[in-house]
Amino acid sequence: MKAVMVQAFGGPEVLAVVELPDPNPAAGQVLITTEAIGVGGIDVLIRSGALAAYGATPGRIPGQEVVGTVAEVGDGVDSAWVGRRVWAFTGEGGGYVERAVAPAATIIPVPAALSAVDAVTLGISAMVAHFALRHAHFARGESVLVRGAAGGIGVMAVQLAARGGASAVAVTTSSAERGDRLRQLGATQVLDRAGRGAENALTSYDVIIDIAAGADLPSFFARLEPNGRMVAVGAMAGMPPADFGREMVAAFRKSLSFATFSADTVPAPDRSAATAELFAAAGRGELKAVVHEVLSLEQAVLAHQKIEAGEVFGRIVLTPSGK
């Protein structure tokens, strides 16, 4: 089978298409013939070596999620799964392949109303956005700012905040064109990357969902209302300064909160239940899967180049056929 491997840490060019034997599912696993493969920001971080300190190594196949048809099951897995179309979490990698192995405990049936490309576009991004808002204790009627809103998690956080009854949904983004697209998804205020917007834009928010982090993160503590909560779910702009908490402590009397969020801390059954509910909502037309582009597995280098160039709005999806 064809697979994409990280040959060494570095730029997109270190990704190479290789031929590997078809894997066999072990006990508790399923083998999936992939139809759609999600490309995420974490894949870029793993490939670059940014996560080497956390155990990422060269020789890894990137990709955390796939959609496809179950071709085979391992011992202990109900054979009724064979032939069914499912979404699966492959773990810290292993998704950029024609035939993927995944734990049976992670697979979720994909509704007939949802395409494979749309399902994998929603997948982890929608689930993380859902739990990030919950982690922030977001409540109906509160205002939300999504920082770095044009990526997969960001576009879902915008939709879910709007769907959850936010009084305002502000976004930071890099262009007016992207701002217009985010308005179509539920954003009510568009700010630049520094958080500047129109004169009538809110200046502070109850909740900030931050996908970017980076050097500018500390300045956004000033954008929180009293009792405001900021939750960081990514670091696509790099790590924040070591002393980033100074700004929060300087506003001590506002009782601000800062937290990181990783879906690893959510029990697997809860992740699966939430993802299934989000798929159902998308199937009913209540959520939109925002697909930037569908590329072939052989174009993984191009996919990573587009992400690093800041061209992607929503998500890129790889498919074995490129369709």
Side-chain angles (χ1 to χ4, degrees):
M1 68 171 184
K2 287 186 176 65
V4 174
M5 183 176 291
V6 178
Q7 294 184 304
F9 291 141
E13 69 281 354
V14 304
L15 296 173
V17 179
V18 298
E19 287 286 341
L20 296 175
D22 285 356
N24 295 310
Q29 294 182 331
V30 297
L31 178 66
I32 297 169
T33 301
T34 58
E35 299 174 35
I37 300 156
V39 180
I42 192 168
D43 302 340
V44 173
L45 295 174
I46 288 171
R47 185 218 71 226
S48 70
L51 299 183
Y54 299 93
T57 57
R60 177 190 297 257
I61 296 170
Q64 291 189 301
E65 60 185 313
V66 301
V67 170
T69 302
V70 177
E72 189 179 344
V73 299
D75 290 345
V77 180
D78 188 348
S79 62
W81 282 109
V82 174
R84 297 186 66 182
R85 192 172 62 129
V86 300
W87 174 91
F89 177 65
T90 57
E92 295 181 355
Y96 288 20
V97 293
E98 291 181 309
R99 291 166 75 82
V101 169
T106 72
I107 62 177
I108 299 168
V110 175
L114 206 58
S115 72
V117 167
D118 283 354
V120 88
T121 297
L122 292 164
I124 290 174
S125 293
M127 182 266 291
V128 169
H130 167 82
F131 283 110
L133 286 164
R134 179 178 293 185
H135 201 64
H137 300 286
F138 163 66
R140 180 175 294 275
E142 291 190 315
S143 56
V144 177
L145 168 63
V146 182
R147 182 168 175 252
I153 296 172
V155 297
M156 293 313 307
V158 168
Q159 292 184 72
L160 291 171
R163 185 170 178 251
S167 60
V169 182
V171 295
T172 67
T173 191
S174 60
S175 70
E177 184 271 335
R178 289 187 169 208
D180 289 342
R181 295 184 68 181
L182 287 162
R183 286 185 189 277
Q184 294 172 15
L185 296 170
T188 59
Q189 300 179 357
V190 176
L191 314 177
D192 65 16
R193 284 180 170 173
R196 297 182 294 262
E199 290 184 4
N200 62 349
L202 293 178
T203 57
S204 56
Y205 305 87
D206 297 301
V207 170
I208 296 177
I209 302 297
D210 191 340
I211 298 104
D216 291 337
L217 182 150
S219 67
F220 281 83
F221 286 120
R223 301 305 183 97
L224 285 172
E225 283 280 312
N227 297 306
R229 295 87 70 196
M230 182 190 299
V231 174
V233 297
M236 293 307 296
M239 297 296 287
D243 62 348
F244 75 90
R246 284 180 177 271
E247 299 294 331
M248 184 174 69
V249 175
F252 195 89
R253 295 180 68 185
K254 291 176 69 177
S255 299
L256 305 181
S257 300
F258 173 82
T260 58
F261 173 73
S262 167
D264 290 344
T265 60
V266 179
D270 293 347
R271 294 199 303 263
S272 295
T275 304
E277 290 174 6
L278 292 162
F279 284 170
R284 295 190 298 268
E286 297 170 10
L287 294 174
K288 179 178 175 57
V290 181
V291 182
H292 179 82
E293 191 172 3
V294 178
L295 299 173
S296 70
L297 191 59
E298 290 87 346
Q299 292 176 295
V301 169
L302 178 59
H304 280 229
Q305 288 171 338
K306 287 174 178 284
I307 291 174
E308 293 198 332
E311 298 178 13
V312 178
F313 184 89
R315 294 193 71 183
I316 288 180
V317 176
L318 301 177
T319 70
S321 64
K323 298 180 181 178

